[in-house]
Amino acid sequence: GAEAWHSYLSFMAVPSLATILYGEAIPDIGGDTLFCDCYAAYGALSEDMKDRLAGMAAVHSFRRYQRRRFPERPLTEEQKRSTPDVAHPVVRTHPVSGRKSLFIGADVISHVVGIEKRKGKKIMDDLLEHATQERFVYRHRWRKGDLIAYDNRCTLHRRDKLDPDSRRLMHRTQIRGEARPVAAWANG
């Protein structure tokens, strides 16, 4: 399931702030982690597209994420109650840098608020295709003992394919977010 572009816990009202990954067992082939610079992806959009996205919100859904990634594991009623769908701005303002970035994902967005479902899906698909162009992506080829920290507030990531018979053991620590994402349009 980690092969789709995502930002950890984007389906929570307060998503993860940052992530630290440590590579303990690395396969000989595959299993790289790709990181997308959502600042650069936003910056490269046309001014018309930036204007179109201003104020747009997308609903991030744990239910959708779970169904798409782990269809064999239905959610419990408690999981459903504790993870209601949440609307986040498509363009957010980073609370420290003040820069604008895209806040999207592959498997987690159920729809765009106020836009017909198919049209909203097309917008999200086009944004994801734009953001994940090679020019915005860094590929990390893991070596045993590598440690990487990254900011979930302005980054998407995914794992590359690997041989299912190979061993890949990563330790992940997530740093709790401190606030809901702020829409870029709210800050001018």
Side-chain angles (χ1 to χ4, degrees):
E3 292 176 16
W5 289 100
H6 60 284
S7 176
Y8 283 129
L9 301 179
S10 73
F11 50 76
M12 301 297 290
V14 179
S16 177
L17 181 147
T19 301
I20 302 168
L21 288 176
Y22 174 76
E24 184 171 313
I26 308 302
D28 293 331
I29 299 171
D32 298 347
T33 301
L34 289 81
F35 298 93
C36 168
D37 179 351
C38 291
Y39 284 142
Y42 174 78
L45 291 171
S46 70
E47 291 305 315
D48 286 343
M49 180 55 94
K50 289 177 184 177
D51 289 344
R52 191 170 160 208
L53 297 176
M56 188 179 288
V59 174
H60 294 239
S61 171
F62 183 65
R63 289 177 185 171
R64 176 179 166 79
Y65 164 85
Q66 185 72 17
R67 272 194 318 270
R68 293 183 61 92
R69 292 212 181 166
F70 309 104
E72 72 285 359
R73 296 190 320 219
L75 294 176
T76 66
E77 289 306 312
E78 174 53 32
Q79 287 173 313
K80 290 175 185 176
R81 275 192 302 279
S82 65
T83 55
D85 291 354
V86 62
H88 288 306
V90 172
V91 179
R92 68 184 290 183
T93 299
H94 194 284
V96 177
S97 72
R99 293 175 63 193
K100 296 176 184 179
S101 69
L102 293 174
F103 192 47
I104 56 178
D107 288 343
V108 72
I109 294 176
S110 66
H111 64 280
V112 177
V113 177
I115 296 179
E116 188 270 323
K117 197 158 189 142
R118 256 183 274 130
K119 186 176 179 183
K121 181 179 179 344
K122 172 90 168 100
I123 292 168
M124 292 299 102
D125 289 347
D126 289 349
L127 282 176
L128 191 62
E129 184 177 338
H130 165 78
T132 58
Q133 294 175 67
E134 192 174 318
R135 65 183 169 145
F136 304 128
V137 174
Y138 163 72
R139 173 184 293 270
H140 186 76
R141 290 183 171 84
W142 288 94
R143 295 169 303 191
K144 182 178 170 62
D146 281 357
L147 180 74
I148 291 181
Y150 56 95
D151 190 333
N152 283 301
R153 299 168 296 184
C154 55
T155 308
L156 290 175
H157 69 282
R158 73 173 189 84
R159 178 188 44 78
D160 206 3
K161 292 182 180 184
L162 63 126
D163 179 343
D165 295 327
S166 63
R167 185 162 188 261
R168 181 179 190 264
L169 177 61
M170 308 295 288
H171 295 282
R172 179 181 76 202
T173 298
Q174 290 177 220
I175 300 170
R176 186 182 325 198
E178 71 276 350
R180 291 182 69 106
V182 175
W185 57 268
N187 293 339

